[in-house]
Amino acid sequence: MLQKHGKLISGIFFVLGGLGLLFINIAPRLKAPADPEQLLNNAVVSSDLASLTRPQEMQFYGAFFRLAQKRNQQAAKWMLSHYSSLKSTPRYHALEFMGHYYDQQEFKDLFLNLWKASSSSDDEMEKIALLKSLGKIVSSWNEMQLDKIETSEKMSELLKVHFYASLFKSAFESKRKKRSIKELLSLSSGRYSELVLTYLGRFLPNHPDVLDKMQESIYVSKDASYLEMALIHLSKYRKEWMALQGERIIQSKNKNLVSSYVKTSFVSCSKTMKEEFEMVLSMYPELASSVLEVLFSLPRKKAYEFFMANEAAFKNIMNVEKAKNALSKGEVYSSCKNF
């Protein structure tokens, strides 16, 4: 009896062993269901790598930016092989983004060689790109390079702005960060105030000194892209102050400021927005399309009523009838309840 049981147990183990071997052979062929997110990510990476071969096209900047942030090693190899053939803007972008790879010796060596060569060059944009590259990661090596540059280089005001921005971003110690902010604040009244305040707005968005200087700057600046950024920033961190600036801005006769204010007005959402829009349509008829665009971000019924009350001001806009028809239908969620 025991002998029979022993044979039976041995047979069972033999069968199980055979099944185990069969599973081991088959398992590699069984694929897990594809992850849609991973498939999309792989497709984006493949597309971005392909874009590196066309540096003259607009996609090059975004492609290199995304790949460098992910520290993609194929992009790193491409950079080491092709940086010397890149010219002008694509070259500056590539030199800036290589800062994401400064934990790799090849890129440290490349930076040192390029910075040494830039000392005898008049190409300030290349120096700016290299300085910005030192702010891509927090690193003692980056800090050491910045210390060397500060003690050995005579920098222009523009180079100083990028230098202290990179010093802030690469620093481990709060002491170095505080010194960077102090220097940037002192530069914020200079020739490159808009650039400085853009940096400071990212580093210390709610700092009272930064906000005070940004408030002053909007009545001086003519840079449309900076003004849009500053107005949105102030609408978030100085909302009550911003809500009172509409009439002064419109009366400023700074068309770029007025245009930027209109485009961002749904953020500050002034209680007198209707009256302000009417002033804009009267004083700056060329901004009617900007006003119409903002109407689509406001409560639909009230926006349509405003459009109808001021229809004559919009008559020269292309496809205005389609816009009118769209405004007359449906409703949209809007955080701006004052309109």
Side-chain angles (χ1 to χ4, degrees):
M1 180 70 71
L2 288 173
Q3 189 175 8
K4 288 182 179 179
H5 283 294
K7 289 181 179 180
L8 179 62
I9 292 170
S10 297
I12 291 171
F13 277 114
F14 178 79
V15 172
L16 289 174
L19 289 172
L21 288 172
L22 181 63
F23 178 77
I24 289 170
N25 289 327
I26 294 175
R29 302 174 203 169
L30 298 176
K31 294 183 179 180
D35 179 359
E37 187 175 343
Q38 186 60 46
L39 288 173
L40 177 60
N41 183 60
N42 292 343
V44 171
V45 169
S46 296
S47 175
D48 285 345
L49 287 169
S51 293
L52 295 187
T53 63
R54 303 185 296 275
Q56 72 282 359
E57 296 181 6
M58 291 288 290
Q59 293 90 336
F60 178 82
Y61 174 88
F64 212 148
F65 173 76
R66 288 186 292 272
L67 291 167
Q69 276 197 320
K70 296 173 182 175
R71 303 189 67 260
N72 181 279
Q73 291 305 301
Q74 286 177 270
K77 290 178 182 178
W78 185 92
M79 170 68 186
L80 291 170
S81 301
H82 295 85
Y83 79 90
S84 59
S85 64
L86 295 173
K87 305 296 182 185
S88 188
T89 302
R91 178 179 175 84
Y92 303 143
H93 289 328
L95 295 186
E96 176 187 348
F97 296 147
M98 78 175 183
H100 290 284
Y101 300 98
Y102 282 163
D103 58 342
Q104 298 177 211
Q105 191 60 46
E106 305 98 312
F107 285 94
K108 291 179 179 179
D109 294 340
L110 179 56
F111 171 85
L112 293 173
N113 291 333
L114 289 172
W115 185 261
K116 184 178 179 180
S118 74
S119 299
S120 56
S121 170
D122 294 328
D123 190 349
E124 190 172 48
M125 292 301 295
E126 180 142 331
K127 283 188 176 181
I128 289 172
L130 290 170
L131 281 175
K132 290 171 77 173
S133 75
L134 291 172
K136 296 303 177 187
I137 59 174
V138 176
S139 160
S140 57
W141 185 85
N142 291 29
E143 288 184 337
M144 183 172 66
Q145 303 316 311
L146 288 165
D147 287 344
K148 288 179 180 178
I149 291 169
E150 187 172 27
T151 56
S152 63
E153 293 282 336
K154 185 177 180 181
M155 291 184 284
S156 67
E157 185 178 350
L158 179 57
L159 286 176
K160 285 181 180 178
V161 173
H162 292 291
F163 173 88
Y164 287 113
S166 287
L167 186 65
F168 178 91
K169 291 192 284 185
S170 66
F172 281 106
E173 300 176 359
S174 59
K175 183 178 179 181
R176 292 172 72 92
K177 289 185 178 292
K178 287 178 181 178
R179 186 166 76 86
S180 302
I181 295 301
K182 181 180 178 182
E183 296 292 345
L184 286 170
L185 283 170
S186 70
L187 289 165
S188 66
S189 300
R191 182 179 175 187
Y192 302 101
S193 60
E194 293 142 327
L195 175 62
V196 176
L197 290 170
T198 299
Y199 273 132
L200 287 170
R202 295 174 191 162
F203 300 160
L204 297 172
N206 203 23
H207 193 290
D209 291 345
V210 174
L211 295 174
D212 288 346
K213 288 183 175 291
M214 200 174 283
Q215 284 181 190
E216 296 171 10
S217 73
I218 67 170
Y219 289 106
V220 179
S221 177
K222 305 292 183 183
D223 186 324
S225 59
Y226 168 77
L227 286 168
E228 286 188 31
M229 181 282 297
L231 290 172
I232 290 175
H233 194 94
L234 290 168
S235 294
K236 182 176 180 180
Y237 294 102
R238 289 274 171 94
K239 190 174 181 69
E240 292 182 5
W241 180 85
M242 230 6 267
L244 299 174
Q245 300 306 304
E247 184 173 355
R248 182 184 175 189
I249 288 173
I250 295 166
Q251 297 287 358
S252 70
K253 297 183 180 179
N254 180 345
K255 183 180 172 182
N256 284 345
L257 175 58
V258 177
S259 176
S260 298
Y261 179 72
V262 169
K263 290 177 182 177
T264 60
S265 57
F266 65 93
V267 182
S268 58
C269 196
S270 165
K271 291 181 180 179
T272 57
M273 189 185 294
K274 284 184 181 179
E275 291 78 5
E276 290 168 6
F277 279 4
E278 288 171 351
M279 287 176 64
V280 170
L281 292 173
S282 174
M283 296 174 65
Y284 306 89
E286 66 274 24
L287 296 181
S289 59
S290 295
V291 173
L292 180 57
E293 188 175 337
V294 175
L295 290 180
F296 282 93
S297 301
L298 301 173
R300 188 59 53 85
K301 182 179 179 181
K302 292 181 179 179
Y304 179 69
E305 289 173 357
F306 179 87
F307 177 90
M308 294 305 297
N310 298 274
E311 188 172 8
F314 300 108
K315 64 181 180 181
N316 294 324
I317 298 175
M318 187 179 297
N319 297 322
V320 67
E321 287 301 319
K322 287 185 178 179
K324 175 183 174 181
N325 186 49
L327 278 175
S328 69
K329 297 177 180 178
E331 187 55 275
V332 295
Y333 170 79
S334 175
S335 60
C336 184
K337 306 299 182 184
N338 292 329
F339 191 72

